[in-house]
Amino acid sequence: MENGSKDDLPVIGITIGDLNGIGTEVIIKSLIDNRITKQFTPVIYGSTKTLSFYRKALKVDNFNYIHVKNEKEFIPKKINVLNVWDHPVDITMGKSTPEGGEYAFKALEKAVSDAKEGHIDAIVTAPINKHNIQQEDFNFPGHTEYLADRCSVKNELMFLVSDELRVAVMTGHIPLKDVSSKLSKESIIKKLEVMINSLKHDFGIKKPRIAVLGLNPHAGEMGLLGDEEEKIINPAVIELKNKGNLVFGPFAADGFFGTASFKKFDAVLAMYHDQGLIPFKSIAFDTGVNFTAGLPIVRTSPDHGTAYDIAGKDEANPSSMIQAIFAAIDIVKNRKEYKTFEAAPLNEENDLKE
């Protein structure tokens, strides 16, 4: 946090997500071992009443938390719950309801405000329903676009990360038929620049190696199966490579993943949603994390949805939520270390002048 000492534990805000999905369940399961709070201070944005409801539904007796009223009351090494609302709300596990979306948005809105003001170091968002959350203040395809708007960022990047693979997508939640028209040399360069910057600042990789996928089968087969590779993607790769970046491609997506070539790179830029997410989820479904790169605040989320079909049945796997929390912690630390590293040469120069 901005105002804390550098020895302070990172404060991680966790939004409760859709009240009727598995969000609350995976939050409880992720934090139930109190040893985890030795590494960070969790702040759950939601309602103690909602947590109490799920504690009873899941028959969990050993999940303890502290109710706090504002950021001045956050207690280190304890599970803090900030009541964004304190009145009862109907919970219908496994069903999409207007209330589920309304209160998911309330929690998200408060957490983002606190992150922008420096009260928390990062946000981990539990899953929302992209339909029932729609309202006057949330007219977006998902978290990523909403966060970019709140942070006044135009070139955010949906980055799926795991120990085995990092994949970002050029185009996110849009119809497949619209993908080609959204691609340009300039837009690809901008996304790759965000990726390069994120890999350096957020993941501590000094000289990242990046693979860029083609749009068409066989990466266009030299124009036979499409010309986006020759006219748009390859020129973008060449321009960034000429600037000293280790950017390669475009690669045919099937062969690239089929031969496990992704292991030779620090990250991969796919041209559309499923091209990147199908292989990513095949490789890291339970451990993958969704990270929004390019924002001034740190935001991660588990790489799964509301899973209404198993909500309240004690079947939800918390692995991705746990990974999302620790990814947020690592990114917060990496950003601080990079900032210190950048400042160090200036300090040395000033010391010499003195």
Side-chain angles (χ1 to χ4, degrees):
M1 289 172 67
E2 294 284 341
N3 298 325
S5 72
K6 59 185 178 182
D7 295 325
D8 287 344
L9 291 175
V11 180
I12 308 298
I14 305 172
T15 62
I16 207 161
D18 189 302
L19 305 188
N20 301 316
I22 64 171
T24 308
E25 179 178 336
V26 295
I27 290 171
I28 291 172
K29 288 180 174 179
S30 297
L31 302 178
I32 197 165
D33 186 340
N34 58 16
R35 290 176 297 180
I36 200 171
T37 58
K38 294 180 180 179
Q39 301 183 57
F40 73 105
T41 299
V43 179
I44 301 173
Y45 286 79
S47 165
T48 53
K49 288 183 172 61
T50 301
L51 284 169
S52 179
F53 176 91
Y54 272 94
R55 272 181 36 169
K56 292 177 182 177
L58 300 170
K59 299 180 181 178
V60 174
D61 297 323
N62 58 335
F63 180 70
N64 300 309
Y65 49 83
I66 295 171
H67 170 218
V68 294
K69 295 180 180 179
N70 55 56
E71 70 281 355
K72 295 179 182 178
E73 296 184 359
F74 294 165
I75 300 176
K77 299 183 180 181
K78 298 292 183 182
I79 299 171
N80 298 263
V81 179
L82 185 65
N83 270 357
V84 183
W85 63 91
D86 56 12
H87 52 272
V89 176
D90 288 336
I91 297 174
T92 310
M93 293 185 294
K95 301 291 183 181
S96 173
T97 67
E99 291 82 8
E102 177 185 353
Y103 289 92
F105 175 67
K106 289 181 183 294
L108 175 64
E109 185 179 39
K110 175 59 176 170
V112 172
S113 294
D114 279 3
K116 291 180 67 177
E117 292 172 10
H119 301 315
I120 58 178
D121 293 301
I123 304 172
V124 179
T125 57
I128 59 172
N129 180 315
K130 295 178 176 63
H131 299 285
N132 68 24
I133 198 172
Q134 298 298 321
Q135 53 189 280
E136 183 178 350
D137 294 324
F138 192 104
N139 186 22
F140 303 93
H143 276 118
T144 302
E145 295 82 2
Y146 168 76
L147 289 161
D149 182 76
R150 283 293 307 273
C151 295
S152 301
V153 169
K154 294 183 179 179
N155 283 304
E156 79 285 355
L157 191 68
M158 188 169 77
F159 214 167
L160 285 301
V161 300
S162 72
D163 290 339
E164 298 89 0
L165 174 64
R166 299 185 189 94
V167 174
V169 292
M170 266 302 302
T171 55
H173 301 113
I174 66 170
L176 187 59
K177 63 182 177 62
D178 297 334
V179 170
S180 180
S181 64
K182 296 294 184 181
L183 299 179
S184 68
K185 174 187 170 183
E186 292 73 24
S187 66
I188 292 173
I189 288 173
K190 287 179 180 177
K191 291 290 188 184
L192 283 168
E193 287 175 340
V194 173
M195 177 184 277
I196 292 166
N197 187 63
S198 177
L199 290 168
K200 291 179 178 179
H201 287 75
D202 303 326
F203 297 93
I205 302 171
K206 293 181 180 179
K207 197 69 175 177
R209 290 174 55 86
I210 296 171
V212 180
L213 302 182
L215 172 66
N216 299 294
H218 305 293
E221 199 78 74
M222 298 182 67
L224 181 65
L225 303 177
D227 60 8
E228 287 87 354
E229 286 78 12
E230 291 188 348
K231 291 184 176 180
I232 299 173
I233 304 173
N234 194 47
V237 170
I238 291 172
E239 182 166 325
L240 283 172
K241 191 178 293 185
N242 289 340
K243 293 180 179 178
N245 298 291
L246 301 179
V247 180
F248 305 90
F251 296 100
D254 57 349
F256 180 82
F257 288 109
T259 58
S261 295
F262 63 87
K263 294 182 179 180
K264 302 174 185 177
F265 298 90
D266 297 302
V268 180
L269 180 65
M271 290 299 109
Y272 56 92
H273 185 278
D274 283 13
Q275 185 187 53
L277 269 67
I278 288 175
F280 182 84
K281 291 192 175 186
S282 298
I283 293 167
F285 187 80
D286 289 329
T287 58
V289 174
N290 185 351
F291 167 54
T292 308
L295 300 180
I297 63 176
V298 175
R299 176 263 172 165
T300 65
S301 75
D303 185 29
H304 58 68
T306 54
Y308 288 135
D309 58 319
I310 61 171
K313 297 180 181 179
D314 197 18
E315 296 177 8
N317 187 338
S319 297
S320 187
M321 173 61 81
I322 293 170
Q323 291 297 322
I325 292 170
F326 281 103
I329 294 169
D330 288 342
I331 292 166
V332 167
K333 291 179 179 177
N334 287 335
R335 284 192 180 186
K336 288 181 178 178
E337 288 177 3
Y338 194 92
K339 191 175 181 180
T340 302
F341 173 78
E342 281 188 317
L346 296 175
N347 293 335
E348 289 176 7
E349 187 177 326
N350 290 335
D351 290 342
L352 290 172
K353 287 181 180 178
E354 291 176 1

